[in-house]
Amino acid sequence: MANNKQHRTSLKDLARELGVSIATVSRALRSSPEIGKDMQQRVKDLAKKLNYRPNPFAQSLRKEAPKVIGVVVPNLVTHYYAAVLDGIEAEARRSGYSVISANSHENYEDEAMAVDNFLRLHVEGIIACLAQNTKDYQHFEEIAEMGVPLVFFGRTCLTDRFSSVTANGDEAAYQATQHLIETGSKRIAFIGGPNHIDMVCRRKHGYLEALRDHKIAIDRNLVVCDKIDYQVALQNTMELLESDHCPDAILAFNDIITFAAFTAIKNCRLGIPKDVALIGFTDDVHADYVTPRMSAIEDQSHEMGVKACQLLLKNIQGDTKVYKEKVPQKLVIRETSAKTLV
């Protein structure tokens, strides 16, 4: 039997026909100033041609819907991203917003899909931290063209177009490297993530500047920047410790790499900090619960979430200025870093 059910033209149909997003079609039909006049006319002409009719029931539901912002993070199970999200939720709640979050699993495709899903849900704005393999920013450039509020935190891109909240990773890495030098370390390694990530570049820059200022020759064999993954970092650290270029100290990029390095040193039956000193960018919760207790550069991650949400809400309320906020990190010395105290 033939299916005689009539197909009603939807926003999705119009978007597919024109090769644009559903959000663009929706704004064009409302004559939003965010969409150019030519695109508005193309959308309206096609809507008329295909006999598009808005669904008043769906519209009424949207009017009653809560105000929602979307957050996409690379790894939701880590304490850092959970704490940032907690700060975002606290600030959003104070302003009458709800938050939905998505985990990109450090994967570009998942990140792009999360952003697209947020747009389909008509969120008021988006807060994002880049996945480590994101090098194509087209999905964010489209958001800029659509005028959807967006703020980055931690790992950023397109900083001339979007507001961002970052930490002073370069200064913190400088202070940590200087501390290692001043307490007896001479061959300090930096174990980081992919070089295209701005956060990696900032922290590595601080480390290199400290070496230069203390007249210590830079050994490229001691700079290892690879995938942000526990097993990869563990293997890289083991190979470094067993090589002819064995360091006597390590500065680690984040908590995943920090604890991979910590385990590698233990696996090689080396003492911390006597044989290999260690400082990592990590949080106080984990740093205080290992033996020896970890010297660490600690993020104010909750505060970072609060500030990111504040900037997004400004944007949602019409403030189109691009802000660049910095949240300072703090170096906390415990037991893993000072050879002179052993």
Side-chain angles (χ1 to χ4, degrees), residues 29-65:
L29 290 172
R30 299 198 309 269
S31 300
S32 169
E34 299 165 2
I35 307 299
K37 294 293 185 183
D38 289 345
M39 178 55 73
Q40 286 186 31
Q41 195 58 52
R42 286 177 61 200
V43 171
K44 290 173 181 177
D45 288 346
L46 183 63
K48 184 176 181 180
K49 177 183 176 183
L50 299 182
N51 197 29
Y52 167 76
R53 292 289 184 274
N55 184 335
F57 178 68
Q59 286 182 329
S60 67
L61 285 179
R62 280 197 292 272
K63 288 176 183 176
E64 297 299 321

Side-chain angles (χ1 to χ4, degrees), residues 12 18 53 63 98 147-148 212 243 245 258 268 271 275 281 305:
K12 186 175 181 180
L18 292 165
R53 292 289 184 274
K63 288 176 183 176
S98 298
V148 176
R212 292 188 186 101
S243 73
H245 309 283
T258 296
C268 290
D275 298 315
F281 282 81

Side-chain angles (χ1 to χ4, degrees), residues 118-183:
F118 287 155
L119 294 175
R120 291 173 186 272
L121 290 169
H122 298 279
V123 297
E124 300 284 322
I126 297 172
I127 298 173
C129 179
L130 296 178
Q132 66 174 302
N133 66 350
T134 295
K135 297 180 182 178
D136 179 356
Y137 308 130
Q138 182 62 36
H139 52 310
F140 293 121
E141 289 171 348
E142 289 174 357
I143 288 178
E145 292 164 6
M146 292 164 56
V148 176
L150 170 66
V151 170
F152 287 107
F153 75 90
R155 309 175 196 168
T156 69
C157 67
L158 306 175
T159 53
D160 59 328
R161 305 176 79 174
F162 295 111
S163 293
S164 60
V165 182
T166 58
N168 61 335
D170 52 346
E171 297 171 24
Y174 185 101
Q175 292 169 8
T177 306
Q178 180 172 260
H179 164 74
L180 290 169
I181 294 168
E182 292 175 347
T183 54

Side-chain angles (χ1 to χ4, degrees), residues 154 166-179 190 197-214 251-253 279 281 297-299 304 325-331:
T166 58
N168 61 335
D170 52 346
E171 297 171 24
Y174 185 101
Q175 292 169 8
T177 306
Q178 180 172 260
H179 164 74
F190 175 82
I197 298 176
D198 61 337
M199 182 189 285
V200 174
C201 293
R202 288 192 295 270
R203 295 178 181 184
K204 183 169 67 174
H205 175 75
Y207 153 80
L208 293 172
E209 285 297 294
L211 294 182
R212 292 188 186 101
D213 287 352
H214 288 81
L251 176 63
F253 166 70
I279 296 180
F281 282 81
I297 302 163
E298 296 179 359
D299 284 293
M304 184 167 283
E325 294 277 356
K326 281 210 174 180
V327 178
Q329 296 170 305
K330 57 180 180 177
L331 175 61

Side-chain angles (χ1 to χ4, degrees), residues 103-313:
N103 193 343
S104 73
H105 305 97
E106 294 283 13
N107 182 43
Y108 164 79
E109 287 78 13
D110 288 349
E111 176 184 280
M113 183 181 296
V115 169
D116 186 57
N117 287 339
F118 287 155
L119 294 175
R120 291 173 186 272
L121 290 169
H122 298 279
V123 297
E124 300 284 322
I126 297 172
I127 298 173
C129 179
L130 296 178
Q132 66 174 302
N133 66 350
T134 295
K135 297 180 182 178
D136 179 356
Y137 308 130
Q138 182 62 36
H139 52 310
F140 293 121
E141 289 171 348
E142 289 174 357
I143 288 178
E145 292 164 6
M146 292 164 56
V148 176
L150 170 66
V151 170
F152 287 107
F153 75 90
R155 309 175 196 168
T156 69
C157 67
L158 306 175
T159 53
D160 59 328
R161 305 176 79 174
F162 295 111
S163 293
S164 60
V165 182
T166 58
N168 61 335
D170 52 346
E171 297 171 24
Y174 185 101
Q175 292 169 8
T177 306
Q178 180 172 260
H179 164 74
L180 290 169
I181 294 168
E182 292 175 347
T183 54
S185 294
K186 295 177 172 56
R187 291 181 49 77
I188 304 168
F190 175 82
I191 303 180
N195 280 311
H196 68 271
I197 298 176
D198 61 337
M199 182 189 285
V200 174
C201 293
R202 288 192 295 270
R203 295 178 181 184
K204 183 169 67 174
H205 175 75
Y207 153 80
L208 293 172
E209 285 297 294
L211 294 182
R212 292 188 186 101
D213 287 352
H214 288 81
K215 306 295 188 292
I216 296 176
I218 294 169
D219 183 348
R220 294 296 173 183
N221 294 300
L222 297 178
V223 182
V224 181
C225 290
D226 203 341
K227 185 178 181 181
I228 302 171
D229 176 87
Y230 182 86
Q231 291 300 327
V232 171
L234 179 65
Q235 182 63 32
N236 284 338
T237 309
M238 293 282 289
E239 290 176 0
L240 188 60
L241 294 172
E242 294 169 351
S243 73
D244 295 334
H245 309 283
C246 181
D248 66 355
I250 293 172
L251 176 63
F253 166 70
N254 72 351
D255 50 358
I256 291 172
I257 294 175
T258 296
F259 288 100
F262 184 89
T263 302
I265 297 169
K266 294 277 191 177
N267 288 350
C268 290
R269 300 185 182 280
L270 297 170
I272 304 173
K274 180 181 178 182
D275 298 315
V276 184
L278 177 63
I279 296 180
F281 282 81
T282 185
D283 57 82
D284 58 341
V285 174
H286 294 104
D288 215 20
Y289 292 165
V290 294
T291 304
R293 294 162 63 242
M294 183 79 66
S295 293
I297 302 163
E298 296 179 359
D299 284 293
Q300 296 187 67
S301 41
H302 184 276
E303 180 65 18
M304 184 167 283
V306 169
K307 284 191 176 297
C309 190
Q310 288 173 343
L311 291 183
L312 184 72
L313 294 175

